[in-house]
């Protein structure tokens, strides 16, 4: 039989335990994270993401946002029809389009209808609703912001606690 390269007779030798000062730095940092709670225990009290009682409210909010998106697109379509189609007709054949009319004509072309009307479908309403949701969402707090909030609340709790007199 072949001998183990370390000369232990084919079996692996037990690794000697390192003192705390000789442990690798990353291991010490990792053990420190496990032994104490992060940021004063704030990470342990996470908010529940799903609750069955919030489902009816969420459905109402989503349908309201879709209705709002549809109303906004309808209103924008009315403005587009007025600015791009009706206003140049009213001004006559030799007039120039206003700058807003020209912008709306170039920025929102309706090639599907040959620039005769502003037309949108339900998938357009859904796209507007999704964009509105992303614009209304709040940013998640960064680790540094959570840490600052934790230290701030600790300072406030410390300042609010009664001082001992001797």
């Amino acid at each position: 039989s072949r001998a183990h390269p370390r000369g232990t007779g084919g079996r692996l030798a037990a690794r000697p335990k390192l003192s705390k000062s000789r442990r690798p730095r990353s291991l010490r940092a990792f053990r420190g994270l496990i032994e104490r709670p992060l940021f004063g225990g704030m990470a342990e009290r996470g908010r529940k993401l799903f609750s069955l009682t919030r489902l009816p409210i969420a459905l109402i909010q989503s349908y309201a946002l879709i209705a709002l998106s549809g109303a906004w697109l309808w209103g924008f379509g009315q403005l587009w029809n007025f600015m791009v189609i009706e206003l140049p007709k009213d001004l006559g054949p030799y007039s120039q389009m206003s700058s807003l009319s020209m912008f709306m004509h170039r920025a929102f072309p309706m090639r599907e209808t040959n620039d005769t009307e502003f037309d949108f479908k339900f998938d357009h309403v859904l796209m507007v609703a999704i964009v509105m949701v992303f614009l209304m969402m709040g940013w998640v707090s960064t680790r540094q912001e959570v840490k600052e909030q934790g230290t701030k609340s600790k300072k406030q709790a410390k300042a609010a606690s009664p001082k001992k007199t001797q």
Side-chain angles (χ1 to χ4, degrees), residues 12-162:
L12 293 175
R15 194 176 216 177
K17 285 200 167 189
L18 298 175
S19 66
K20 278 192 175 184
S21 62
R22 294 195 43 156
R23 279 189 192 147
R25 184 167 179 79
S26 60
L27 181 63
R28 273 188 284 156
F30 180 72
R31 288 191 71 153
L33 288 176
I34 292 174
E35 292 168 0
R36 70 176 192 281
L38 290 173
F39 310 128
M42 287 177 54
E44 297 165 358
R45 298 184 302 263
R47 205 169 107 197
K48 213 167 152 182
L49 293 178
F50 178 77
S51 175
L52 198 56
T53 58
R54 292 265 313 150
L55 187 63
I57 296 168
L59 285 173
I60 291 170
Q61 285 176 338
S62 63
Y63 284 123
L65 192 61
I66 288 173
L68 180 70
S69 300
W72 191 89
L73 275 177
W74 177 81
F76 183 77
Q78 297 299 315
L79 178 69
W80 188 91
N81 283 335
F82 175 74
M83 293 299 290
V84 175
I85 309 247
E86 299 298 325
L87 192 61
K89 282 182 189 175
D90 292 343
L91 292 176
Y94 298 110
S95 65
Q96 291 184 346
M97 288 179 95
S98 67
S99 58
L100 182 59
S101 296
M102 188 64 78
F103 168 74
M104 291 183 79
H105 182 64
R106 299 281 186 242
F108 308 105
M110 281 288 124
R111 293 185 186 100
E112 297 88 12
T113 61
N114 203 18
D115 286 332
T116 58
E117 67 176 333
F118 186 85
D119 190 28
F120 61 93
K121 299 179 186 93
F122 185 67
D123 56 343
H124 298 125
V125 174
L126 288 178
M127 285 186 259
V128 169
I130 289 170
V131 168
M132 286 175 62
V133 164
F134 275 111
L135 290 175
M136 289 189 299
M137 277 188 342
W139 293 102
V140 178
S141 299
T142 62
R143 183 180 296 172
Q144 184 66 27
E145 290 170 345
V146 170
K147 189 175 182 179
E148 288 171 359
Q149 288 173 354
T151 56
K152 187 177 181 182
S153 64
K154 278 185 181 178
K155 285 181 184 177
Q156 287 176 351
K158 191 175 184 181
S161 65

